Amino acid sequence: LRNLDRCLEAGLSRCNISVHGWRPENLAQRGGTLKMHTHRQRFIARLLEAGRPIKVNYVYTGPEVEEDLAELLQWAADKPLIVGLLDNLSNEDLGPHQMEKVLVRLRGEPARHLVDEDPHSFSTTHLLWEDGLRVEVKDTQLGQVAPWRSCAACPERRACREGVFAVRLTPAGQLRLC
């Protein structure tokens, strides 16, 4: 957490966190450890404490992760953060409409649907529930546009909010480009 505190002191304004399994057992299925899970939870707690905007990105791979996703969504409901639900880039059957159906099945109908037509990125649907849960789903199936070939030549790259060229803090405490 010292590296995170240094980043916060240097002016870190927001943070996107990629979650590869919310529960320890789901993280372990993707090569994670209990130590990594504990560190991630402390990292998120420290960001919440610092009051920085947070987005927790979760890749939905299919029905086998629904219990894990449901637990993340329940935890996130009363937190000042956004859950970004992403489709599995290698599964053409898991697009934005399927993501929304999964969310409705797990959480019921959202109270509000808002669409953000970002001219520099993908259109995004923001789903909000009465208990405070906020989830965003990209309206373009990400697997159809990966691996972001057009980003390097994009004239809007400097203003892009997508974060494709964001700096990431690795679990080992190193800063790297996406």
PDB file of all heavy atoms in Angstrom, residues 22-57:
ATOM      1  N   TRP A  22     -13.696 -12.445  -7.749  1.00  0.00           N
ATOM      2  CA  TRP A  22     -13.939 -11.647  -6.555  1.00  0.00           C
ATOM      3  C   TRP A  22     -13.653 -12.443  -5.288  1.00  0.00           C
ATOM      4  O   TRP A  22     -12.948 -11.995  -4.409  1.00  0.00           O
ATOM      5  CB  TRP A  22     -15.376 -11.128  -6.559  1.00  0.00           C
ATOM      6  CG  TRP A  22     -15.681 -10.296  -5.360  1.00  0.00           C
ATOM      7  CD1 TRP A  22     -16.525 -10.603  -4.336  1.00  0.00           C
ATOM      8  CD2 TRP A  22     -15.123  -9.018  -5.046  1.00  0.00           C
ATOM      9  NE1 TRP A  22     -16.526  -9.600  -3.402  1.00  0.00           N
ATOM     10  CE2 TRP A  22     -15.668  -8.608  -3.825  1.00  0.00           C
ATOM     11  CE3 TRP A  22     -14.203  -8.184  -5.674  1.00  0.00           C
ATOM     12  CZ2 TRP A  22     -15.347  -7.403  -3.219  1.00  0.00           C
ATOM     13  CZ3 TRP A  22     -13.879  -6.979  -5.072  1.00  0.00           C
ATOM     14  CH2 TRP A  22     -14.436  -6.602  -3.860  1.00  0.00           C
ATOM     15  N   ARG A  23     -14.191 -13.637  -5.219  1.00  0.00           N
ATOM     16  CA  ARG A  23     -13.965 -14.486  -4.042  1.00  0.00           C
ATOM     17  C   ARG A  23     -12.606 -15.163  -4.175  1.00  0.00           C
ATOM     18  O   ARG A  23     -12.118 -15.389  -5.296  1.00  0.00           O
ATOM     19  CB  ARG A  23     -15.075 -15.541  -3.932  1.00  0.00           C
ATOM     20  CG  ARG A  23     -16.459 -14.922  -3.784  1.00  0.00           C
ATOM     21  CD  ARG A  23     -17.543 -15.950  -3.688  1.00  0.00           C
ATOM     22  NE  ARG A  23     -17.520 -16.853  -4.852  1.00  0.00           N
ATOM     23  CZ  ARG A  23     -18.385 -17.814  -5.052  1.00  0.00           C
ATOM     24  NH1 ARG A  23     -19.353 -18.048  -4.195  1.00  0.00           N
ATOM     25  NH2 ARG A  23     -18.304 -18.578  -6.119  1.00  0.00           N
ATOM     26  N   PRO A  24     -11.984 -15.512  -3.043  1.00  0.00           N
ATOM     27  CA  PRO A  24     -10.660 -16.148  -3.116  1.00  0.00           C
ATOM     28  C   PRO A  24     -10.629 -17.386  -4.015  1.00  0.00           C
ATOM     29  O   PRO A  24      -9.687 -17.568  -4.781  1.00  0.00           O
ATOM     30  CB  PRO A  24     -10.359 -16.520  -1.662  1.00  0.00           C
ATOM     31  CG  PRO A  24     -11.164 -15.580  -0.845  1.00  0.00           C
ATOM     32  CD  PRO A  24     -12.409 -15.305  -1.652  1.00  0.00           C
ATOM     33  N   GLU A  25     -11.667 -18.213  -3.951  1.00  0.00           N
ATOM     34  CA  GLU A  25     -11.658 -19.438  -4.756  1.00  0.00           C
ATOM     35  C   GLU A  25     -11.772 -19.146  -6.259  1.00  0.00           C
ATOM     36  O   GLU A  25     -11.202 -19.857  -7.081  1.00  0.00           O
ATOM     37  CB  GLU A  25     -12.743 -20.419  -4.294  1.00  0.00           C
ATOM     38  CG  GLU A  25     -14.155 -19.892  -4.345  1.00  0.00           C
ATOM     39  CD  GLU A  25     -14.627 -19.204  -3.059  1.00  0.00           C
ATOM     40  OE1 GLU A  25     -13.788 -18.742  -2.259  1.00  0.00           O
ATOM     41  OE2 GLU A  25     -15.852 -19.126  -2.865  1.00  0.00           O
ATOM     42  N   ASN A  26     -12.504 -18.077  -6.612  1.00  0.00           N
ATOM     43  CA  ASN A  26     -12.598 -17.717  -8.033  1.00  0.00           C
ATOM     44  C   ASN A  26     -11.305 -17.075  -8.527  1.00  0.00           C
ATOM     45  O   ASN A  26     -10.890 -17.300  -9.656  1.00  0.00           O
ATOM     46  CB  ASN A  26     -13.790 -16.799  -8.275  1.00  0.00           C
ATOM     47  CG  ASN A  26     -15.096 -17.541  -8.117  1.00  0.00           C
ATOM     48  OD1 ASN A  26     -15.596 -17.685  -7.001  1.00  0.00           O
ATOM     49  ND2 ASN A  26     -15.645 -18.032  -9.205  1.00  0.00           N
ATOM     50  N   LEU A  27     -10.667 -16.298  -7.684  1.00  0.00           N
ATOM     51  CA  LEU A  27      -9.364 -15.741  -8.036  1.00  0.00           C
ATOM     52  C   LEU A  27      -8.349 -16.872  -8.210  1.00  0.00           C
ATOM     53  O   LEU A  27      -7.549 -16.859  -9.145  1.00  0.00           O
ATOM     54  CB  LEU A  27      -8.902 -14.761  -6.956  1.00  0.00           C
ATOM     55  CG  LEU A  27      -7.557 -14.078  -7.192  1.00  0.00           C
ATOM     56  CD1 LEU A  27      -7.571 -13.248  -8.462  1.00  0.00           C
ATOM     57  CD2 LEU A  27      -7.205 -13.213  -5.990  1.00  0.00           C
ATOM     58  N   ALA A  28      -8.410 -17.880  -7.349  1.00  0.00           N
ATOM     59  CA  ALA A  28      -7.482 -19.020  -7.437  1.00  0.00           C
ATOM     60  C   ALA A  28      -7.649 -19.776  -8.751  1.00  0.00           C
ATOM     61  O   ALA A  28      -6.667 -20.273  -9.310  1.00  0.00           O
ATOM     62  CB  ALA A  28      -7.683 -19.954  -6.252  1.00  0.00           C
ATOM     63  N   GLN A  29      -8.878 -19.849  -9.265  1.00  0.00           N
ATOM     64  CA  GLN A  29      -9.112 -20.530 -10.539  1.00  0.00           C
ATOM     65  C   GLN A  29      -8.413 -19.825 -11.697  1.00  0.00           C
ATOM     66  O   GLN A  29      -8.179 -20.415 -12.743  1.00  0.00           O
ATOM     67  CB  GLN A  29     -10.610 -20.630 -10.824  1.00  0.00           C
ATOM     68  CG  GLN A  29     -11.319 -21.586  -9.918  1.00  0.00           C
ATOM     69  CD  GLN A  29     -12.834 -21.544 -10.088  1.00  0.00           C
ATOM     70  OE1 GLN A  29     -13.385 -20.667 -10.756  1.00  0.00           O
ATOM     71  NE2 GLN A  29     -13.509 -22.491  -9.471  1.00  0.00           N
ATOM     72  N   ARG A  30      -8.067 -18.570 -11.500  1.00  0.00           N
ATOM     73  CA  ARG A  30      -7.369 -17.790 -12.531  1.00  0.00           C
ATOM     74  C   ARG A  30      -5.914 -17.530 -12.140  1.00  0.00           C
ATOM     75  O   ARG A  30      -5.293 -16.604 -12.633  1.00  0.00           O
ATOM     76  CB  ARG A  30      -8.100 -16.483 -12.777  1.00  0.00           C
ATOM     77  CG  ARG A  30      -9.468 -16.712 -13.387  1.00  0.00           C
ATOM     78  CD  ARG A  30     -10.146 -15.412 -13.671  1.00  0.00           C
ATOM     79  NE  ARG A  30     -11.429 -15.652 -14.313  1.00  0.00           N
ATOM     80  CZ  ARG A  30     -12.221 -14.687 -14.694  1.00  0.00           C
ATOM     81  NH1 ARG A  30     -11.883 -13.430 -14.530  1.00  0.00           N
ATOM     82  NH2 ARG A  30     -13.369 -14.960 -15.256  1.00  0.00           N
ATOM     83  N   GLY A  31      -5.402 -18.352 -11.236  1.00  0.00           N
ATOM     84  CA  GLY A  31      -3.983 -18.275 -10.886  1.00  0.00           C
ATOM     85  C   GLY A  31      -3.654 -17.370  -9.717  1.00  0.00           C
ATOM     86  O   GLY A  31      -2.488 -17.192  -9.382  1.00  0.00           O
ATOM     87  N   GLY A  32      -4.659 -16.783  -9.075  1.00  0.00           N
ATOM     88  CA  GLY A  32      -4.416 -15.905  -7.937  1.00  0.00           C
ATOM     89  C   GLY A  32      -4.239 -16.679  -6.644  1.00  0.00           C
ATOM     90  O   GLY A  32      -4.485 -17.882  -6.574  1.00  0.00           O
ATOM     91  N   THR A  33      -3.811 -15.971  -5.617  1.00  0.00           N
ATOM     92  CA  THR A  33      -3.580 -16.575  -4.308  1.00  0.00           C
ATOM     93  C   THR A  33      -4.387 -15.846  -3.247  1.00  0.00           C
ATOM     94  O   THR A  33      -4.892 -14.739  -3.485  1.00  0.00           O
ATOM     95  CB  THR A  33      -2.087 -16.485  -3.932  1.00  0.00           C
ATOM     96  OG1 THR A  33      -1.741 -15.090  -3.781  1.00  0.00           O
ATOM     97  CG2 THR A  33      -1.202 -17.142  -4.979  1.00  0.00           C
ATOM     98  N   LEU A  34      -4.473 -16.438  -2.085  1.00  0.00           N
ATOM     99  CA  LEU A  34      -5.155 -15.795  -0.966  1.00  0.00           C
ATOM    100  C   LEU A  34      -4.450 -14.486  -0.601  1.00  0.00           C
ATOM    101  O   LEU A  34      -5.095 -13.479  -0.291  1.00  0.00           O
ATOM    102  CB  LEU A  34      -5.212 -16.735   0.240  1.00  0.00           C
ATOM    103  CG  LEU A  34      -5.944 -16.199   1.466  1.00  0.00           C
ATOM    104  CD1 LEU A  34      -7.376 -15.796   1.122  1.00  0.00           C
ATOM    105  CD2 LEU A  34      -5.936 -17.236   2.574  1.00  0.00           C
ATOM    106  N   LYS A  35      -3.132 -14.485  -0.684  1.00  0.00           N
ATOM    107  CA  LYS A  35      -2.366 -13.265  -0.392  1.00  0.00           C
ATOM    108  C   LYS A  35      -2.739 -12.158  -1.384  1.00  0.00           C
ATOM    109  O   LYS A  35      -2.907 -10.994  -0.990  1.00  0.00           O
ATOM    110  CB  LYS A  35      -0.868 -13.563  -0.452  1.00  0.00           C
ATOM    111  CG  LYS A  35       0.003 -12.384  -0.119  1.00  0.00           C
ATOM    112  CD  LYS A  35       1.465 -12.770  -0.138  1.00  0.00           C
ATOM    113  CE  LYS A  35       2.350 -11.568   0.176  1.00  0.00           C
ATOM    114  NZ  LYS A  35       3.764 -11.907   0.161  1.00  0.00           N
ATOM    115  N   MET A  36      -2.861 -12.499  -2.665  1.00  0.00           N
ATOM    116  CA  MET A  36      -3.255 -11.515  -3.672  1.00  0.00           C
ATOM    117  C   MET A  36      -4.659 -10.989  -3.390  1.00  0.00           C
ATOM    118  O   MET A  36      -4.914  -9.786  -3.522  1.00  0.00           O
ATOM    119  CB  MET A  36      -3.190 -12.127  -5.069  1.00  0.00           C
ATOM    120  CG  MET A  36      -1.784 -12.412  -5.550  1.00  0.00           C
ATOM    121  SD  MET A  36      -1.743 -13.408  -7.063  1.00  0.00           S
ATOM    122  CE  MET A  36      -2.358 -12.247  -8.261  1.00  0.00           C
ATOM    123  N   HIS A  37      -5.566 -11.874  -3.007  1.00  0.00           N
ATOM    124  CA  HIS A  37      -6.941 -11.476  -2.690  1.00  0.00           C
ATOM    125  C   HIS A  37      -6.942 -10.499  -1.522  1.00  0.00           C
ATOM    126  O   HIS A  37      -7.588  -9.451  -1.573  1.00  0.00           O
ATOM    127  CB  HIS A  37      -7.782 -12.717  -2.369  1.00  0.00           C
ATOM    128  CG  HIS A  37      -9.203 -12.384  -2.043  1.00  0.00           C
ATOM    129  ND1 HIS A  37      -9.607 -12.119  -0.751  1.00  0.00           N
ATOM    130  CD2 HIS A  37     -10.294 -12.258  -2.826  1.00  0.00           C
ATOM    131  CE1 HIS A  37     -10.895 -11.848  -0.764  1.00  0.00           C
ATOM    132  NE2 HIS A  37     -11.337 -11.931  -2.012  1.00  0.00           N
ATOM    133  N   THR A  38      -6.213 -10.825  -0.475  1.00  0.00           N
ATOM    134  CA  THR A  38      -6.148  -9.968   0.712  1.00  0.00           C
ATOM    135  C   THR A  38      -5.563  -8.608   0.352  1.00  0.00           C
ATOM    136  O   THR A  38      -6.080  -7.567   0.763  1.00  0.00           O
ATOM    137  CB  THR A  38      -5.306 -10.652   1.813  1.00  0.00           C
ATOM    138  OG1 THR A  38      -5.927 -11.901   2.141  1.00  0.00           O
ATOM    139  CG2 THR A  38      -5.210  -9.786   3.050  1.00  0.00           C
ATOM    140  N   HIS A  39      -4.493  -8.611  -0.427  1.00  0.00           N
ATOM    141  CA  HIS A  39      -3.861  -7.354  -0.837  1.00  0.00           C
ATOM    142  C   HIS A  39      -4.823  -6.506  -1.661  1.00  0.00           C
ATOM    143  O   HIS A  39      -4.928  -5.290  -1.458  1.00  0.00           O
ATOM    144  CB  HIS A  39      -2.576  -7.636  -1.622  1.00  0.00           C
ATOM    145  CG  HIS A  39      -1.857  -6.399  -2.026  1.00  0.00           C
ATOM    146  ND1 HIS A  39      -1.188  -5.596  -1.137  1.00  0.00           N
ATOM    147  CD2 HIS A  39      -1.732  -5.803  -3.235  1.00  0.00           C
ATOM    148  CE1 HIS A  39      -0.669  -4.559  -1.780  1.00  0.00           C
ATOM    149  NE2 HIS A  39      -0.985  -4.672  -3.057  1.00  0.00           N
ATOM    150  N   ARG A  40      -5.540  -7.135  -2.593  1.00  0.00           N
ATOM    151  CA  ARG A  40      -6.492  -6.394  -3.425  1.00  0.00           C
ATOM    152  C   ARG A  40      -7.585  -5.766  -2.580  1.00  0.00           C
ATOM    153  O   ARG A  40      -7.952  -4.613  -2.778  1.00  0.00           O
ATOM    154  CB  ARG A  40      -7.109  -7.312  -4.480  1.00  0.00           C
ATOM    155  CG  ARG A  40      -8.079  -6.550  -5.391  1.00  0.00           C
ATOM    156  CD  ARG A  40      -8.913  -7.448  -6.258  1.00  0.00           C
ATOM    157  NE  ARG A  40      -9.814  -8.230  -5.447  1.00  0.00           N
ATOM    158  CZ  ARG A  40     -10.286  -9.428  -5.810  1.00  0.00           C
ATOM    159  NH1 ARG A  40      -9.915  -9.975  -6.946  1.00  0.00           N
ATOM    160  NH2 ARG A  40     -11.115 -10.077  -5.034  1.00  0.00           N
ATOM    161  N   GLN A  41      -8.110  -6.514  -1.618  1.00  0.00           N
ATOM    162  CA  GLN A  41      -9.179  -5.983  -0.777  1.00  0.00           C
ATOM    163  C   GLN A  41      -8.669  -4.794   0.042  1.00  0.00           C
ATOM    164  O   GLN A  41      -9.384  -3.803   0.211  1.00  0.00           O
ATOM    165  CB  GLN A  41      -9.747  -7.070   0.124  1.00  0.00           C
ATOM    166  CG  GLN A  41     -10.378  -8.251  -0.626  1.00  0.00           C
ATOM    167  CD  GLN A  41     -11.371  -7.846  -1.692  1.00  0.00           C
ATOM    168  OE1 GLN A  41     -11.043  -7.787  -2.875  1.00  0.00           O
ATOM    169  NE2 GLN A  41     -12.596  -7.575  -1.287  1.00  0.00           N
ATOM    170  N   ARG A  42      -7.444  -4.878   0.545  1.00  0.00           N
ATOM    171  CA  ARG A  42      -6.854  -3.752   1.290  1.00  0.00           C
ATOM    172  C   ARG A  42      -6.635  -2.551   0.365  1.00  0.00           C
ATOM    173  O   ARG A  42      -6.829  -1.402   0.758  1.00  0.00           O
ATOM    174  CB  ARG A  42      -5.541  -4.177   1.933  1.00  0.00           C
ATOM    175  CG  ARG A  42      -5.727  -5.103   3.110  1.00  0.00           C
ATOM    176  CD  ARG A  42      -4.398  -5.460   3.729  1.00  0.00           C
ATOM    177  NE  ARG A  42      -4.602  -6.402   4.815  1.00  0.00           N
ATOM    178  CZ  ARG A  42      -3.696  -7.272   5.208  1.00  0.00           C
ATOM    179  NH1 ARG A  42      -2.504  -7.326   4.619  1.00  0.00           N
ATOM    180  NH2 ARG A  42      -3.949  -8.086   6.204  1.00  0.00           N
ATOM    181  N   PHE A  43      -6.206  -2.824  -0.852  1.00  0.00           N
ATOM    182  CA  PHE A  43      -5.982  -1.785  -1.852  1.00  0.00           C
ATOM    183  C   PHE A  43      -7.291  -1.039  -2.130  1.00  0.00           C
ATOM    184  O   PHE A  43      -7.334   0.193  -2.117  1.00  0.00           O
ATOM    185  CB  PHE A  43      -5.433  -2.443  -3.131  1.00  0.00           C
ATOM    186  CG  PHE A  43      -5.054  -1.494  -4.220  1.00  0.00           C
ATOM    187  CD1 PHE A  43      -3.752  -1.004  -4.293  1.00  0.00           C
ATOM    188  CD2 PHE A  43      -5.968  -1.116  -5.191  1.00  0.00           C
ATOM    189  CE1 PHE A  43      -3.381  -0.137  -5.319  1.00  0.00           C
ATOM    190  CE2 PHE A  43      -5.600  -0.259  -6.220  1.00  0.00           C
ATOM    191  CZ  PHE A  43      -4.304   0.240  -6.279  1.00  0.00           C
ATOM    192  N   ILE A  44      -8.365  -1.775  -2.348  1.00  0.00           N
ATOM    193  CA  ILE A  44      -9.665  -1.162  -2.620  1.00  0.00           C
ATOM    194  C   ILE A  44     -10.132  -0.364  -1.405  1.00  0.00           C
ATOM    195  O   ILE A  44     -10.626   0.761  -1.547  1.00  0.00           O
ATOM    196  CB  ILE A  44     -10.710  -2.222  -3.030  1.00  0.00           C
ATOM    197  CG1 ILE A  44     -10.342  -2.821  -4.385  1.00  0.00           C
ATOM    198  CG2 ILE A  44     -12.113  -1.621  -3.072  1.00  0.00           C
ATOM    199  CD1 ILE A  44     -11.191  -4.022  -4.794  1.00  0.00           C
ATOM    200  N   ALA A  45      -9.962  -0.924  -0.217  1.00  0.00           N
ATOM    201  CA  ALA A  45     -10.362  -0.221   1.006  1.00  0.00           C
ATOM    202  C   ALA A  45      -9.609   1.099   1.149  1.00  0.00           C
ATOM    203  O   ALA A  45     -10.187   2.126   1.528  1.00  0.00           O
ATOM    204  CB  ALA A  45     -10.133  -1.108   2.229  1.00  0.00           C
ATOM    205  N   ARG A  46      -8.316   1.081   0.818  1.00  0.00           N
ATOM    206  CA  ARG A  46      -7.511   2.305   0.917  1.00  0.00           C
ATOM    207  C   ARG A  46      -7.991   3.341  -0.099  1.00  0.00           C
ATOM    208  O   ARG A  46      -8.055   4.532   0.196  1.00  0.00           O
ATOM    209  CB  ARG A  46      -6.028   1.983   0.703  1.00  0.00           C
ATOM    210  CG  ARG A  46      -5.116   3.186   0.711  1.00  0.00           C
ATOM    211  CD  ARG A  46      -5.052   3.851   2.088  1.00  0.00           C
ATOM    212  NE  ARG A  46      -4.271   5.060   2.026  1.00  0.00           N
ATOM    213  CZ  ARG A  46      -4.792   6.289   1.996  1.00  0.00           C
ATOM    214  NH1 ARG A  46      -6.098   6.471   2.059  1.00  0.00           N
ATOM    215  NH2 ARG A  46      -4.014   7.338   1.914  1.00  0.00           N
ATOM    216  N   LEU A  47      -8.325   2.921  -1.321  1.00  0.00           N
ATOM    217  CA  LEU A  47      -8.853   3.856  -2.319  1.00  0.00           C
ATOM    218  C   LEU A  47     -10.187   4.450  -1.873  1.00  0.00           C
ATOM    219  O   LEU A  47     -10.423   5.653  -2.034  1.00  0.00           O
ATOM    220  CB  LEU A  47      -9.036   3.157  -3.662  1.00  0.00           C
ATOM    221  CG  LEU A  47      -7.782   2.952  -4.489  1.00  0.00           C
ATOM    222  CD1 LEU A  47      -8.072   2.033  -5.664  1.00  0.00           C
ATOM    223  CD2 LEU A  47      -7.225   4.279  -4.979  1.00  0.00           C
ATOM    224  N   LEU A  48     -11.054   3.621  -1.315  1.00  0.00           N
ATOM    225  CA  LEU A  48     -12.332   4.123  -0.810  1.00  0.00           C
ATOM    226  C   LEU A  48     -12.111   5.138   0.296  1.00  0.00           C
ATOM    227  O   LEU A  48     -12.764   6.184   0.339  1.00  0.00           O
ATOM    228  CB  LEU A  48     -13.206   2.959  -0.319  1.00  0.00           C
ATOM    229  CG  LEU A  48     -13.803   2.061  -1.400  1.00  0.00           C
ATOM    230  CD1 LEU A  48     -14.384   0.799  -0.794  1.00  0.00           C
ATOM    231  CD2 LEU A  48     -14.846   2.816  -2.202  1.00  0.00           C
ATOM    232  N   GLU A  49     -11.182   4.830   1.174  1.00  0.00           N
ATOM    233  CA  GLU A  49     -10.832   5.730   2.275  1.00  0.00           C
ATOM    234  C   GLU A  49     -10.311   7.068   1.745  1.00  0.00           C
ATOM    235  O   GLU A  49     -10.604   8.123   2.292  1.00  0.00           O
ATOM    236  CB  GLU A  49      -9.764   5.048   3.135  1.00  0.00           C
ATOM    237  CG  GLU A  49      -9.269   5.807   4.319  1.00  0.00           C
ATOM    238  CD  GLU A  49      -8.160   5.013   5.005  1.00  0.00           C
ATOM    239  OE1 GLU A  49      -8.454   3.918   5.519  1.00  0.00           O
ATOM    240  OE2 GLU A  49      -7.012   5.499   5.019  1.00  0.00           O
ATOM    241  N   ALA A  50      -9.542   7.031   0.652  1.00  0.00           N
ATOM    242  CA  ALA A  50      -8.965   8.242   0.061  1.00  0.00           C
ATOM    243  C   ALA A  50     -10.000   9.049  -0.733  1.00  0.00           C
ATOM    244  O   ALA A  50      -9.736  10.190  -1.097  1.00  0.00           O
ATOM    245  CB  ALA A  50      -7.794   7.866  -0.848  1.00  0.00           C
ATOM    246  N   GLY A  51     -11.154   8.446  -1.022  1.00  0.00           N
ATOM    247  CA  GLY A  51     -12.214   9.160  -1.718  1.00  0.00           C
ATOM    248  C   GLY A  51     -11.998   9.355  -3.208  1.00  0.00           C
ATOM    249  O   GLY A  51     -12.612  10.224  -3.809  1.00  0.00           O
ATOM    250  N   ARG A  52     -11.148   8.540  -3.809  1.00  0.00           N
ATOM    251  CA  ARG A  52     -10.922   8.652  -5.249  1.00  0.00           C
ATOM    252  C   ARG A  52     -11.992   7.856  -5.992  1.00  0.00           C
ATOM    253  O   ARG A  52     -12.419   6.793  -5.528  1.00  0.00           O
ATOM    254  CB  ARG A  52      -9.547   8.092  -5.649  1.00  0.00           C
ATOM    255  CG  ARG A  52      -8.371   8.789  -5.048  1.00  0.00           C
ATOM    256  CD  ARG A  52      -8.333  10.284  -5.355  1.00  0.00           C
ATOM    257  NE  ARG A  52      -7.046  10.876  -5.112  1.00  0.00           N
ATOM    258  CZ  ARG A  52      -6.614  11.304  -3.930  1.00  0.00           C
ATOM    259  NH1 ARG A  52      -7.373  11.207  -2.873  1.00  0.00           N
ATOM    260  NH2 ARG A  52      -5.419  11.845  -3.824  1.00  0.00           N
ATOM    261  N   PRO A  53     -12.416   8.342  -7.158  1.00  0.00           N
ATOM    262  CA  PRO A  53     -13.357   7.558  -7.969  1.00  0.00           C
ATOM    263  C   PRO A  53     -12.735   6.213  -8.350  1.00  0.00           C
ATOM    264  O   PRO A  53     -11.571   6.146  -8.744  1.00  0.00           O
ATOM    265  CB  PRO A  53     -13.580   8.432  -9.205  1.00  0.00           C
ATOM    266  CG  PRO A  53     -13.257   9.815  -8.753  1.00  0.00           C
ATOM    267  CD  PRO A  53     -12.141   9.653  -7.755  1.00  0.00           C
ATOM    268  N   ILE A  54     -13.540   5.170  -8.246  1.00  0.00           N
ATOM    269  CA  ILE A  54     -13.065   3.809  -8.508  1.00  0.00           C
ATOM    270  C   ILE A  54     -14.029   3.121  -9.463  1.00  0.00           C
ATOM    271  O   ILE A  54     -15.248   3.241  -9.337  1.00  0.00           O
ATOM    272  CB  ILE A  54     -13.015   2.969  -7.208  1.00  0.00           C
ATOM    273  CG1 ILE A  54     -12.124   3.617  -6.165  1.00  0.00           C
ATOM    274  CG2 ILE A  54     -12.562   1.544  -7.500  1.00  0.00           C
ATOM    275  CD1 ILE A  54     -12.249   2.969  -4.792  1.00  0.00           C
ATOM    276  N   LYS A  55     -13.438   2.379 -10.402  1.00  0.00           N
ATOM    277  CA  LYS A  55     -14.224   1.467 -11.227  1.00  0.00           C
ATOM    278  C   LYS A  55     -13.602   0.089 -11.073  1.00  0.00           C
ATOM    279  O   LYS A  55     -12.404  -0.081 -11.235  1.00  0.00           O
ATOM    280  CB  LYS A  55     -14.228   1.864 -12.697  1.00  0.00           C
ATOM    281  CG  LYS A  55     -15.085   0.915 -13.521  1.00  0.00           C
ATOM    282  CD  LYS A  55     -15.403   1.313 -14.935  1.00  0.00           C
ATOM    283  CE  LYS A  55     -14.466   2.187 -15.631  1.00  0.00           C
ATOM    284  NZ  LYS A  55     -14.734   2.277 -17.082  1.00  0.00           N
ATOM    285  N   VAL A  56     -14.428  -0.886 -10.725  1.00  0.00           N
ATOM    286  CA  VAL A  56     -13.988  -2.267 -10.579  1.00  0.00           C
ATOM    287  C   VAL A  56     -14.461  -3.010 -11.825  1.00  0.00           C
ATOM    288  O   VAL A  56     -15.659  -3.195 -12.022  1.00  0.00           O
ATOM    289  CB  VAL A  56     -14.574  -2.911  -9.302  1.00  0.00           C
ATOM    290  CG1 VAL A  56     -14.185  -4.369  -9.211  1.00  0.00           C
ATOM    291  CG2 VAL A  56     -14.125  -2.152  -8.062  1.00  0.00           C
ATOM    292  N   ASN A  57     -13.521  -3.389 -12.681  1.00  0.00           N
ATOM    293  CA  ASN A  57     -13.848  -4.089 -13.921  1.00  0.00           C
ATOM    294  C   ASN A  57     -13.835  -5.595 -13.696  1.00  0.00           C
ATOM    295  O   ASN A  57     -12.888  -6.130 -13.137  1.00  0.00           O
ATOM    296  CB  ASN A  57     -12.842  -3.727 -15.020  1.00  0.00           C
ATOM    297  CG  ASN A  57     -13.017  -2.306 -15.498  1.00  0.00           C
ATOM    298  OD1 ASN A  57     -14.128  -1.829 -15.669  1.00  0.00           O
ATOM    299  ND2 ASN A  57     -11.915  -1.613 -15.692  1.00  0.00           N
TER     300      ASN A  57
END
